[in-house]
Amino acid sequence: MSTLRFQALKETLNRKAVKVDEPARRSEIFSSNVFNETVMRQFLTKEAYENVTEAMRTGKKIDRNVADHISTGMKEWAISKGVTHYTHWFQPLTGATAEKHDSFFEPLGEGLAIEKFGGGQLVQQEPDASSFPNGGIRNTFEARGYTAWDPTSPAFIWGTTLCIPTVFVAYTGEALDNKTPLLRALQAVDSAATNVAKYFDKNVKKVNATLGWEQEYFLIDSALVASRPDITLTGRTLLGHSPAKGQQLDDHYFGSIPSRAIAFMMDLEIECMKLGIPVKTRHNEVAPNQFELAPIFEEANLAVDHNSLIMDVMKKVGERHNLAVLMHEKPFAGINGSGKHNNWSLATDTGTNLLSPGSTPMKNLQFLTFFVNTIKAVYDHEELLRAAIASASNDHRLGANEAPPAILSVFIGSQLTKVLDELEKVTNGKLSPQEKTELKLNVVGKIPEILLDNTDRNRTSPFAFTGNKFEFRAVGSLANCAGAMTVLNSIVAKQLKDFKVEVDKLIKDKKMKKDDAIFNVLREYIKKSKKIRFEGDGYGEAWEKEAEKRGLSNNRTTPQALKAQVSKQTKSLYKELEVMNETEIEARHEIELEEYAMRIQIEGRILGDIARNHVIPTAIRYQNILIKNVTGLKSIYGDEFARHAKEQLEIIESISAHIASINSNVNAMIEARKVANKIEDAEKKAFAYCDDVKPFFEEIRYHCDKLELLVDDELWPLTKYREMLFTK
Ligand code: ADP
Ligand code: MG
């Protein structure tokens, strides 16, 4: 009797929604656990306060003396809220977040002790981080990396710990985390975009990239998950037959949210409020037990931190509700996967969204400038953008036949397409006054109206313009947004830099007026980047063929996609912008390849174990029951027995055939793994896992799933899809 599955089901069916106390007003608890400007005013000296806020605004270094004042203020605030420990919170290249807690407590001797937190401890720490991946940058024996405070993301309290957002770098200066290159990319886009924005408004001093992410996830009862070794260890099901009812009826999407899920969301939102994460929307997603959470957008660095933080908080809040939060991109085969749409734009310190048209022709030209430059950037670096979202788990979305596909393309809608078509016809050289008036009135001038009537919606494009922002939809639900944001902001920064040079050249050499020059350069960009624009359904064979004709890349697997990370073009891009040096680029590439191979390796091992230790023994047990039945029939009916045992005999044979296939495939997979494991070169190894090991998964799964259908339900040890997806 497969006790674990049935015990888990029994437990799950008996659960009630956990009661959550909702505060009268959420606004009252908003940010209550964040060391924000209001709290700083209260707990810091005037000098310290000014120092921090300036560092936040301009990135200026914090004075060491002042650091002592700041740390003392922070400590006093934290202690007043029941905090005992502090930690440098950072995002190593493993994708998760890391922290090591230290106590404020410090003995003075003679039975005396104080709470201490010095400026040095705030600003810099040396975690014993020798086991974080570093792609060969840091010899593990040296373990010489340090974390340094990032004042642009405020400190916060989680539980009884004060968390200080930090970067993680090697003593030799190379970045060992996700945040450092992101901060450099944000700096690059700030400077490039500010220079371009000044064409339209001299007062602009800073441009922030903005990010609003939408996190999709599945909620499955933790007992059910515990009964599935595959989910427990890999985050997804490696086998399981799809249920008779899947998402065909679409009755979950935007339907009423089940009560346990609602309680989880309320609890989570309250935690988010305290942490200053402005969560706003929640709803069901397409698949059963799939949900989405989205905050209001924020400055990109903070939004990235908030997403990393929330992924952690979700797991912990989930525990209180006996719910496992599955963030994997494809936890269930045949059921919609999960993504993390990255809504992105650029905003000036004067309060303008640069991807939003305005009330004057000049504002509209500004919109067009940033709009067209972004499209051109995506066109020029589509492979790098694809690489940024590549992972073993996201391959199940991007490489498979579902939206979004592995091919990068940009959707802008038919109305804006018309605008760009018109602009393609702009005169080469100086524009006549009539032409300008015509453009201002009938082309550029129409943009605000067009966008108001934004009925042009598309759900399948990997990169879509949605009215006042671009939505990068191909990002995986498990990913740290920093990867995608580093690439997107870098490529746009580079593009805007080049644009500025070209426009200035026309103004200087051809004596053109500023707007004439801008129109001229945009015209050329529109022509050059046309191939990346695609208005159709963003996946399927027809589009793959068409994309190939256009010369767009279609990198279906991670090892293939990652190549772009180390291309000549990428290296020169990052070098020019000072986002990453060659060592950092190579190290990251190696880490991602290693991670890929490791994930496939783990999946292969677990699938092999489950197939051998759970599936085959169960099938044999059932086969024995059938054999006993047939023998019994034979003892009753003698030679006539075959008439009564025909079906049983067929099932017995069928079971044998499936067992044989599973066994031979598992053996072959193990051999393929042995070969792959001997390979030293990270890229070759990743390819070996991708091309030689992974293909066995499907084969093995196929036969296991067939057995699931044949074997007596009472005996089957693994919780079934229908039980995981339809138990609420
Ligand atoms: P939907 O795309 O579901 O219709 P919205 O248009 O309201 O929903 O926005 C979706 C996400 O885009 C939200 O997280 C929102 O905060 C974010 N967003 C809106 N404006 C911007 C912007 N200027 N920059 C970045 N993100 C934005
Ligand atoms: Mg969206």
Side-chain angles (χ1 to χ4, degrees):
M1 183 74 180
S2 49
T3 44
L4 190 54
R5 172 177 160 220
F6 288 105
Q7 254 177 36
L9 277 169
K10 203 169 148 203
E11 232 174 276
T12 305
L13 291 171
N14 284 333
R15 297 227 213 261
K16 298 264 170 322
V18 175
K19 199 174 166 316
V20 177
D21 291 322
E22 173 86 60
R25 282 166 192 268
R26 292 196 175 182
S27 57
E28 274 167 16
I29 55 166
F30 187 68
S31 236
S32 58
N33 284 347
V34 180
F35 196 64
N36 58 19
E37 294 201 21
T38 320
V39 186
M40 280 188 218
R41 274 218 184 89
Q42 218 178 319
F43 282 86
L44 297 184
T45 59
K46 190 157 176 284
E47 191 198 1
Y49 171 77
E50 277 164 7
N51 220 290
V52 185
T53 45
E54 195 181 343
M56 285 165 71
R57 266 198 318 276
T58 64
K60 189 174 161 270
K61 273 228 158 63
I62 288 183
D63 202 57
R64 202 55 184 244
N65 302 329
V66 183
D68 276 327
H69 292 288
I70 301 170
S71 62
T72 308
M74 244 187 220
K75 179 195 71 188
E76 288 310 315
W77 168 72
I79 289 175
S80 77
K81 299 188 80 74
V83 167
T84 53
H85 288 66
Y86 66 91
T87 184
H88 273 199
W89 183 81
F90 62 103
Q91 298 166 42
L93 294 169
T94 45
T97 56
E99 50 201 84
K100 167 182 156 247
H101 298 201
D102 282 302
S103 165
F104 289 133
F105 171 83
E106 202 167 287
L108 295 174
E110 296 176 17
L112 294 176
I114 54 165
E115 264 74 37
K116 191 164 176 267
F117 181 49
Q121 289 157 308
L122 164 67
V123 174
Q124 192 169 313
Q125 292 266 310
E126 190 175 329
D128 177 21
S130 48
S131 52
F132 288 113
N134 57 63
I137 289 179
R138 206 162 34 92
N139 184 324
T140 16
F141 299 105
E142 289 175 27
R144 306 280 289 162
Y146 66 91
T147 51
W149 182 30
D150 163 24
T152 59
S153 181
F156 58 90
I157 294 168
W158 174 242
T160 53
T161 304
L162 170 68
C163 301
I164 296 142
T166 57
V167 294
F168 180 35
V169 280
Y171 267 106
T172 37
E174 284 93 2
L176 295 171
D177 66 350
N178 280 304
K179 191 178 191 122
T180 312
L182 172 69
L183 289 174
R184 295 178 191 151
L186 291 173
Q187 183 123 41
V189 85
D190 170 13
S191 121
T194 302
N195 287 337
V196 173
K198 279 192 167 130
Y199 283 140
F200 308 97
D201 179 359
K202 289 258 175 301
N203 299 318
V204 174
K205 288 197 188 65
K206 186 171 168 58
V207 172
N208 276 324
T210 51
L211 165 64
W213 42 263
E214 302 164 62
Q215 178 76 50
E216 291 180 336
Y217 61 97
F218 280 84
L219 283 181
I220 309 290
D221 189 276
S222 52
L224 299 182
V225 166
S227 73
R228 296 277 317 208
D230 48 356
I231 308 184
T232 309
L233 297 168
T234 71
R236 74 171 177 116
T237 55
L238 296 170
L239 37 80
H241 204 280
S242 36
K245 174 181 188 258
Q247 62 194 55
Q248 302 95 330
L249 298 177
D250 246 347
D251 50 359
H252 178 70
Y253 194 45
F254 281 101
S256 72
I257 305 176
S259 60
R260 286 181 66 200
I262 270 282
F264 161 81
M265 289 175 189
M266 271 170 65
D267 204 355
L268 173 64
E269 285 165 7
I270 292 168
E271 292 297 346
C272 288
M273 284 294 118
K274 293 187 208 156
L275 289 165
I277 307 175
V279 292
K280 182 94 175 145
T281 60
R282 60 176 176 207
H283 59 78
N284 290 355
E285 263 305 322
V286 183
N289 281 349
Q290 189 189 27
F291 305 93
E292 182 190 284
L293 168 87
I296 295 166
F297 69 93
E298 300 174 284
E299 181 276 309
N301 178 37
L302 186 59
V304 168
D305 278 2
H306 278 166
N307 181 250
S308 298
L309 179 58
I310 213 173
M311 287 170 77
D312 206 25
V313 173
M314 284 168 90
K315 290 213 183 92
K316 287 173 179 154
V317 172
E319 284 166 18
R320 305 208 275 254
H321 297 257
N322 299 302
L323 289 167
V325 183
L326 306 188
M327 231 92 72
H328 192 286
E329 283 83 354
K330 196 80 181 171
F332 303 100
I335 303 280
N336 220 57
S338 298
K340 176 149 48 198
H341 296 177
N342 277 208
N343 295 275
W344 169 91
S345 188
L346 294 168
T348 66
D349 58 346
T350 51
T352 305
N353 176 354
L354 293 169
L355 285 173
S356 185
S359 47
T360 64
M362 222 37 194
K363 289 270 176 223
N364 291 330
L365 188 55
Q366 169 177 285
F367 159 75
L368 268 180
T369 297
F370 286 92
F371 179 66
V372 171
N373 271 289
T374 305
I375 297 171
K376 171 84 166 24
V378 174
Y379 176 63
D380 286 347
H381 298 275
E382 46 105 359
E383 281 205 91
L384 181 58
L385 209 50
R386 165 68 182 97
I389 49 172
S391 70
S393 50
N394 210 15
D395 276 2
H396 294 283
R397 283 169 79 224
L398 306 181
N401 210 9
E402 70 175 83
I407 306 161
L408 252 284
S409 66
V410 180
F411 172 92
I412 61 171
S414 58
Q415 301 285 350
L416 282 167
T417 301
K418 272 192 210 141
V419 172
L420 297 196
D421 289 347
E422 287 293 326
L423 288 170
E424 243 186 270
K425 300 182 207 142
V426 165
T427 305
N428 205 340
K430 285 179 189 166
L431 276 61
S432 70
Q434 293 91 315
E435 187 178 5
K436 265 195 211 173
T437 314
E438 165 66 18
L439 275 175
K440 277 174 191 167
L441 281 180
N442 291 327
V443 184
V444 184
K446 288 263 163 72
I447 293 173
E449 280 169 53
I450 289 172
L451 292 184
L452 270 184
D453 173 39
N454 187 25
T455 44
D456 250 346
R457 279 285 188 162
N458 160 299
R459 289 177 61 90
T460 57
S461 173
F463 200 93
F465 185 71
T466 48
N468 56 1
K469 63 195 182 283
F470 279 100
E471 182 168 350
F472 188 15
R473 299 181 178 138
V475 185
S477 48
L478 199 54
N480 183 318
C481 304
M485 282 297 111
T486 301
V487 171
L488 183 56
N489 288 295
S490 295
I491 63 178
V492 171
K494 161 76 177 145
Q495 180 54 54
L496 290 170
K497 260 180 95 180
D498 293 351
F499 172 77
K500 174 92 168 55
V501 171
E502 287 186 62
V503 170
D504 285 350
K505 197 160 181 290
L506 290 183
I507 294 172
K508 191 161 167 266
D509 297 355
K510 299 266 159 79
K511 304 277 175 284
M512 277 193 204
K513 281 216 170 114
K514 188 171 66 188
D515 47 355
D516 288 6
I518 291 174
F519 274 121
N520 268 277
V521 178
L522 290 184
R523 181 193 60 235
E524 293 311 303
Y525 285 179
I526 291 168
K527 284 191 205 157
K528 277 185 198 151
S529 62
K530 220 171 180 175
K531 289 196 180 120
I532 198 78
R533 276 158 43 199
F534 178 56
E535 300 294 306
D537 217 2
Y539 65 109
E541 235 170 84
W543 168 229
E544 288 196 68
K545 280 209 186 101
E546 161 76 14
E548 193 180 339
K549 259 195 244 150
R550 294 187 187 192
L552 298 177
S553 71
N554 185 6
N555 298 323
R556 283 199 195 80
T557 67
T558 294
Q560 189 62 35
L562 290 181
K563 280 179 182 291
Q565 282 186 328
V566 287
S567 71
K568 255 200 191 132
Q569 189 195 22
T570 302
K571 284 181 178 170
S572 93
L573 166 82
Y574 284 150
K575 191 171 171 210
E576 178 184 334
L577 300 175
E578 296 180 8
V579 169
M580 279 192 267
N581 64 27
E582 180 118 10
T583 320
E584 291 170 318
I585 294 170
E586 295 284 354
R588 247 147 243 266
H589 184 233
E590 201 178 307
I591 288 169
E592 291 194 34
L593 287 167
E594 279 170 2
E595 161 134 14
Y596 176 83
M598 206 175 64
R599 297 231 174 253
I600 305 293
Q601 182 186 43
I602 294 172
E603 289 190 347
R605 281 187 191 147
I606 291 164
L607 180 58
D609 287 356
I610 297 178
R612 281 241 164 97
N613 306 337
H614 297 239
V615 175
I616 292 183
T618 308
I620 291 178
R621 210 172 301 151
Y622 182 55
Q623 200 182 35
N624 281 338
I625 293 177
L626 292 173
I627 290 170
K628 214 167 147 196
N629 174 266
V630 173
T631 337
L633 288 170
K634 199 170 177 183
S635 71
I636 301 174
Y637 296 104
D639 289 348
E640 285 280 282
F641 87 100
R643 213 155 41 94
H644 303 285
K646 190 168 160 280
E647 268 71 30
Q648 289 89 319
L649 288 168
E650 270 172 26
I651 300 176
I652 289 172
E653 277 166 33
S654 195
I655 289 178
S656 291
H658 288 305
I659 291 178
S661 298
I662 293 173
N663 205 43
S664 64
N665 276 302
V666 170
N667 282 338
M669 175 177 73
I670 292 172
E671 285 314 308
R673 278 212 316 265
K674 280 187 192 158
V675 174
N677 288 342
K678 288 209 185 79
I679 302 172
E680 290 277 333
D681 180 84
E683 185 175 48
K684 289 201 181 105
K685 190 175 191 160
F687 270 109
Y689 266 102
C690 180
D691 299 335
D692 307 335
V693 177
K694 210 171 125 229
F696 287 109
F697 294 7
E698 278 301 301
E699 283 294 314
I700 297 169
R701 174 177 197 147
Y702 173 82
H703 295 287
C704 291
D705 290 356
K706 285 286 171 207
L707 285 174
E708 183 183 324
L709 288 184
L710 286 178
V711 170
D712 181 1
D713 185 59
E714 285 262 326
L715 296 179
W716 196 253
L718 297 159
T719 302
K720 295 187 172 180
Y721 264 38
R722 62 159 191 272
E723 293 156 347
M724 288 187 281
L725 291 167
F726 294 100
T727 319
K728 297 188 190 296

